[in-house]
């Protein structure tokens, strides 16, 4: 019997038998436009063409640009560089004045905040596994507001202030999470990068003090309802993967092969922690040949899903315009073999 996409993801994340592994191809805006042209579909139809299994719901708010047009402000007031395909923050609203009471915090009770999310949730049905997109969850949200250097210094020198900043973020997020749950989402999806190419960005001890208990509070509403929790966290976070499992993480993304050994992940956490991603957007997808892409994808499946479940195969991050269409088609060929 062929499973729906939502049920296939649900079963794979909990190590139950599936008819085939779920798959996902995420992309930046400019890359999505190029892929839509290549495959001859409208941009809105691209996820279906790619057989994507996951849909992330975003907030509805009035977009705002800086006067020079070089920064696009998100819901929290951080300004993202409009000249970058990636995620560079140009404006940190708490950079020069760290007074938390002066900051214009977003309103989680805004009646229109989930208008677009509700429409997408209703339209998608069980054709995809639907989750709220809680990116820049804690640490990243803190530094997007205060600045990376300031936050790293204050973690060491003024952790009380950082704790207060994080608590403000958590309180707002919990209100929004409850509203997402009322829409009937299938699980939680968080993003918060703690790792560099080698090691964590700050000490695991500080992470356990400042981040872990607050992240557990954000996971809790989903876990209390029996829903899985997925999390994206780039870099070498091997020292804290066990902690994430301890607070209830169901699936880890992006499992970058350059920084976290897939064999170790499966040996240490297989059956307790599922995986999402695994095919490198740092090396093989932008720089490899189509045959190398196929080999990397097959190895990812062999290493992370030796029993045929517990994995959603995907690139390790959103694909950018440095990935060739030939390599995308090579990855899709392997994804097709999974069926």
């Amino acid at each position: 019997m062929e499973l729906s996409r939502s049920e296939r993801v649900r079963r794979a994340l909990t190590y139950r038998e599936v008819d085939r592994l779920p798959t996902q191809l995420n992309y930046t805006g400019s890359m999505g436009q190029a892929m839509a042209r290549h495959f001859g579909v409208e941009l809105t139809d691209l996820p279906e063409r790619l057989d994507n299994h996951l849909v992330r719901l975003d907030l509805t708010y009035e977009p705002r640009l800086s006067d020079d047009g070089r920064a696009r402000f998100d819901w929290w007031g951080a300004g993202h560089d409009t000249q970058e395909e990636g995620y560079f923050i140009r404006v940190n609203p708490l950079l020069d004045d760290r007074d938390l009471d002066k900051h214009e915090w977003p309103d989680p009770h805004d009646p229109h905040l989930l208008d677009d999310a509700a429409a997408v949730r209703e339209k998608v049905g069980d054709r995809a596994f639907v989750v709220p997109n809680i990116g820049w969850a804690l640490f990243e949200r803190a530094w997007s507001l205060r600045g990376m250097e300031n936050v790293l210094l204050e973690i060491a020198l003024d952790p009380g202030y950082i704790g207060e900043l994080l608590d403000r973020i958590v309180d707002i997020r919990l209100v929004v999470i409850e509203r997402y749950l009322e829409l009937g989402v299938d699980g939680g999806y968080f993003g918060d990068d703690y790792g560099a190419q080698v090691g964590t960005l700050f000490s695991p001890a500080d992470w356990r003090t400042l981040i872990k208990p607050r992240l557990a509070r954000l996971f809790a509403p989903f876990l209390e309802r029996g829903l899985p929790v997925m999390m994206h966290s780039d870099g070498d976070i091997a020292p804290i993967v066990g902690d994430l499992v301890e607070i209830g993480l169901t699936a880890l993304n992006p499992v970058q092969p350059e920084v976290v050994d897939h064999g170790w992940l499966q040996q240490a956490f297989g059956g307790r922690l599922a995986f999402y991603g695994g095919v490198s957007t740092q090396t093989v997808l932008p720089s490899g040949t189509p045959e190398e892409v196929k080999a990397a994808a097959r190895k990812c499946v062999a290493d992370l899903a030796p029993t045929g479940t517990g994995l959603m195969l995907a690139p390790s991050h959103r694909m950018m315009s440095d990935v060739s269409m030939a390599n995308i088609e090579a990855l899709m060929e392997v994804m097709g073999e999974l069926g």
Side-chain angles (χ1 to χ4, degrees), residues 32-286:
Q33 293 172 359
M35 291 170 68
R37 290 193 299 269
H38 176 77
F39 289 109
V41 298
E42 296 295 324
L43 185 60
T44 53
D45 296 328
L46 185 57
E48 186 71 26
R49 173 66 178 82
L50 300 175
D51 191 32
N52 276 357
H53 280 59
L54 184 73
V55 168
R56 293 183 290 186
L57 303 179
D58 291 306
L59 301 177
T60 301
Y61 59 93
E62 191 67 30
R64 182 171 65 90
L65 293 175
S66 61
D67 292 340
D68 60 7
R70 299 195 65 182
R72 182 186 66 259
F73 294 94
D74 63 23
W75 185 61
W76 295 80
H80 299 245
D81 196 321
T82 59
Q83 312 302 307
E84 293 283 341
E85 189 177 1
Y87 303 93
F88 181 76
I89 300 293
R90 174 173 286 276
V91 179
N92 308 101
L94 291 171
L95 182 67
D96 298 318
D97 185 349
R98 71 178 206 155
D99 190 331
L100 300 179
D101 292 328
K102 290 182 181 178
H103 181 61
E104 187 175 344
W105 296 97
D107 178 12
H109 299 284
D110 179 344
H112 299 292
L113 189 61
L114 268 64
D115 283 358
D116 292 339
V120 172
R121 168 68 276 191
E122 183 176 2
K123 179 180 178 181
V124 168
D126 67 354
R127 296 198 310 277
F129 190 84
V130 180
V131 293
N133 187 15
I134 310 173
W136 302 75
L138 284 174
F139 170 65
E140 285 187 309
R141 179 49 62 199
W143 73 251
S144 76
L145 297 173
R146 178 72 178 123
M148 175 70 87
E149 291 184 2
N150 284 338
V151 166
L152 290 177
L153 282 171
E154 287 161 344
I155 285 174
L157 302 177
D158 194 356
Y161 172 79
I162 294 299
E164 185 179 348
L165 172 56
L166 292 171
D167 285 339
R168 300 270 186 128
I169 295 166
V170 168
D171 289 344
I172 291 170
R173 290 225 181 272
L174 286 173
V175 175
V176 179
I177 284 171
E178 290 295 334
R179 295 183 64 184
Y180 271 123
L181 286 164
E182 291 173 4
L183 291 183
V185 294
D186 297 315
Y189 182 91
F190 296 85
D192 213 22
D193 290 344
Y194 308 123
Q197 196 73 8
V198 178
T200 53
L201 291 167
F202 52 102
S203 78
D206 285 333
W207 182 88
R208 292 182 181 109
T209 298
L210 289 166
I211 302 296
K212 183 178 178 179
R214 293 173 173 91
L215 194 60
R217 289 184 63 199
L218 298 182
F219 286 3
F222 299 98
L223 299 174
E224 289 165 0
R225 291 165 174 81
L227 300 178
V229 172
M230 311 170 74
M231 183 167 187
H232 167 93
S233 194
D234 279 333
D236 179 8
I237 60 166
I240 60 172
V241 173
D243 295 271
L244 291 168
V245 174
E246 181 183 316
I247 61 174
L249 184 65
T250 311
L252 178 65
N253 171 268
V255 288
Q256 287 178 268
E258 297 87 3
V259 295
V260 181
D261 181 74
H262 287 179
W264 170 76
L265 281 172
Q266 180 56 229
Q267 182 179 16
F269 302 105
R272 296 188 294 146
L273 178 66
F275 308 105
Y276 161 31
V279 183
S280 175
T281 54
Q282 180 178 337
T283 54
V284 69
L285 277 168

